[in-house]
Amino acid sequence: GAGVSQSPSNKVTEKGKDVELRCDPISGHTALYWYRQSLGQGLEFLIYFQGNSAPDKSGLPSDRFSAERTGGSVSTLTIQRTQQEDSAVYLCASSLNYGQGSSYEQYFGPGTRLTVT
Amino acid sequence: AQSVTQPDIHITVSEGASLELRCNYSYGATPYLFWYVQSPGQGLQLLLKYFSGDTLVQGIKGFEAEFKRSQSSFNLRKPSVHWSDAAEYFCAVGISGNTPLVFGKGTRLSVIA
């Protein structure tokens, strides 16, 4: 079936602008994760959703970052007043964590490369 | 909090040679352990995972990894490397099935003829 998809694949924005990054998880996956991959920092966890609620937001670097998930499916990561240090690849992953046949494997999307100029 | 160390930033091996990528973790109990591979411009693909049971796990593309509790290690191995294995490899740990993963910094593998 279809994997995790993310859009846009690339985004170039000016410093101070707001951006929205979208993630479509694998159908039926209950958990959704956002990570950020930047040079020198590796992969950093940002936020985790179980259904539509976010039990763990501990990785969001500042209050300029927010995320929501609707219908237990699509998630949007919003960065307000972007800064150059926000430039990175933003990765989304989903997993099926509950119920029969649950799997703890996180399946990753291709990422959105964000460049703030 | 748990942490993951991949001591080797970059490794170069000859095609056909064997490979071992090191991974050490810090956590008080047995974590969930994963190896992912990332090719240039691509997302992460799961190679293999360990949750419990047999400490030697087999994955895709001919990779295997061995969990050694006494050494807090989960090293990735492949007996014969192919040029297509050139990529970045990430070790990751989770403390339960539905928690975010903590990743190592990655090891970049180059394969030469």
Side-chain angles (χ1 to χ4, degrees):
Chain A
V4 178
S5 61
Q6 293 184 246
S7 60
S9 55
N10 280 284
K11 176 72 176 179
V12 180
T13 190
E14 292 180 353
K15 177 182 173 181
K17 300 281 190 183
D18 297 351
V19 295
E20 286 189 350
L21 311 180
R22 176 187 169 107
C23 172
D24 282 89
I26 293 173
S27 177
H29 278 194
T30 55
L32 186 148
Y33 309 78
W34 283 99
Y35 296 88
R36 179 169 70 174
Q37 185 175 25
S38 50
L39 285 175
Q41 297 297 320
L43 275 148
E44 305 169 277
F45 163 72
L46 297 177
I47 187 170
Y48 153 62
F49 287 92
Q50 183 60 46
N52 291 334
S53 64
D56 191 346
K57 309 179 183 181
S58 62
L60 294 177
S62 75
D63 58 7
R64 296 186 295 104
F65 288 72
S66 63
E68 65 175 10
R69 188 180 186 194
T70 56
S73 181
V74 172
S75 176
T76 302
L77 177 68
T78 301
I79 308 173
Q80 296 178 309
R81 305 181 302 281
T82 52
Q83 303 294 313
Q84 288 186 331
E85 61 263 28
D86 300 334
S87 296
V89 176
Y90 290 81
L91 292 167
C92 175
S94 70
S95 67
L96 178 64
N97 284 340
Y98 292 99
Q100 190 175 20
S102 63
S103 166
Y104 302 123
E105 301 158 10
Q106 294 184 22
Y107 294 84
F108 283 80
T112 294
R113 180 175 297 278
L114 175 65
T115 303
V116 182
T117 62
Chain B
Q2 67 271 36
S3 64
V4 180
T5 302
Q6 293 182 246
D8 304 304
I9 296 173
H10 183 207
I11 285 181
T12 299
V13 300
S14 299
E15 190 169 16
S18 63
L19 171 71
E20 182 169 29
L21 302 182
R22 296 181 290 164
C23 172
N24 292 94
Y25 67 89
S26 173
Y27 180 58
T30 300
Y32 294 73
L33 296 159
F34 305 83
W35 274 100
Y36 283 86
V37 60
Q38 185 178 36
S39 298
Q42 304 295 311
L44 277 74
Q45 181 183 22
L46 181 68
L47 285 176
L48 47 77
K49 62 185 185 289
Y50 173 78
F51 296 155
S52 63
D54 192 347
T55 56
L56 183 63
V57 294
Q58 303 295 322
I60 62 171
K61 304 185 180 186
F63 286 92
E64 66 177 27
E66 185 171 13
F67 168 60
K68 292 186 177 179
R69 184 190 309 274
S70 62
Q71 299 176 18
S72 297
S73 69
F74 189 57
N75 294 348
L76 182 71
R77 300 193 295 250
K78 185 169 185 178
S80 177
V81 169
H82 188 261
W83 65 266
S84 60
D85 293 324
E88 186 108 22
Y89 291 80
F90 293 92
C91 181
V93 302
I95 61 173
S96 70
N98 61 352
T99 55
L101 298 176
V102 174
F103 285 85
K105 298 287 189 186
T107 298
R108 183 162 62 92
L109 174 66
S110 297
V111 181
I112 58 176

